[in-house]
Amino acid sequence: MTALIRDGHGHVLLVRKHGTGSFIQPGGKREANESDLTTLTREIREELGCTLVPDSIQPLGTFEAPAANEPGKWVRASVYKVRVTGQIACGAEIAELIWVDPRKPCERKLAPLTRDGILPLALSLEQ
């Protein structure tokens, strides 16, 4: 599960995990018996220290791309547009967070799923 979180300017929140070089969306893998939304809620709390706004959650689809940190592997992620409450800060395995304008992607290294799927999706949602 992965979250598309935007600020008031339309910028998209991206994170970089410790020991990796690529920025990705916040989120993660399911634990046993978790639903998508339970997973997303837990991951956002662990990674960013904030809470999902329940009535803001919108499924946007499932996307696949080559894995950024595991050569030869692919990732598949269900993407949800969400709003959060509380202070956003690096937690759990998050080393760094940035806000990226999907109209002008940054020069930072972006995971293929982010670059080729999520940022174009965010841009299409503005139209």
Side-chain angles (χ1 to χ4, degrees):
M1 292 339 100
T2 190
L4 174 59
I5 301 170
R6 302 182 84 170
D7 67 10
H9 303 287
H11 297 162
V12 176
L13 179 65
L14 302 178
V15 299
R16 185 181 59 76
K17 294 183 177 187
H18 291 287
T20 67
S22 296
F23 281 87
I24 61 174
Q25 278 59 67
K29 297 176 185 167
R30 285 186 186 178
E31 292 183 356
N33 301 316
E34 280 187 329
S35 68
D36 283 4
L37 297 183
T38 301
T39 300
L40 199 56
T41 299
R42 175 182 51 77
E43 289 286 344
I44 295 301
R45 185 179 58 249
E46 290 173 0
E47 292 183 355
L48 303 175
C50 54
T51 306
L52 294 179
V53 175
D55 67 350
S56 74
I57 301 167
Q58 284 185 292
L60 298 176
T62 301
F63 297 81
E64 293 184 354
N69 302 309
E70 299 175 69
K73 297 202 177 189
W74 281 70
V75 294
R76 184 173 195 215
S78 296
V79 180
Y80 291 85
K81 181 180 175 185
V82 302
R83 287 191 331 267
V84 296
T85 61
Q87 181 70 31
I88 297 172
C90 295
E93 69 265 8
I94 304 303
E96 185 178 5
L97 61 86
I98 59 173
W99 292 94
V100 174
D101 184 343
R103 293 172 296 272
K104 300 181 249 171
C106 65
E107 294 182 13
R108 299 288 192 76
K109 184 176 179 186
L110 304 177
L113 181 69
T114 300
R115 182 190 65 233
D116 302 333
I118 308 303
L119 291 181
L121 175 64
L123 194 53
S124 75
L125 294 173
E126 292 180 355
Q127 302 170 0

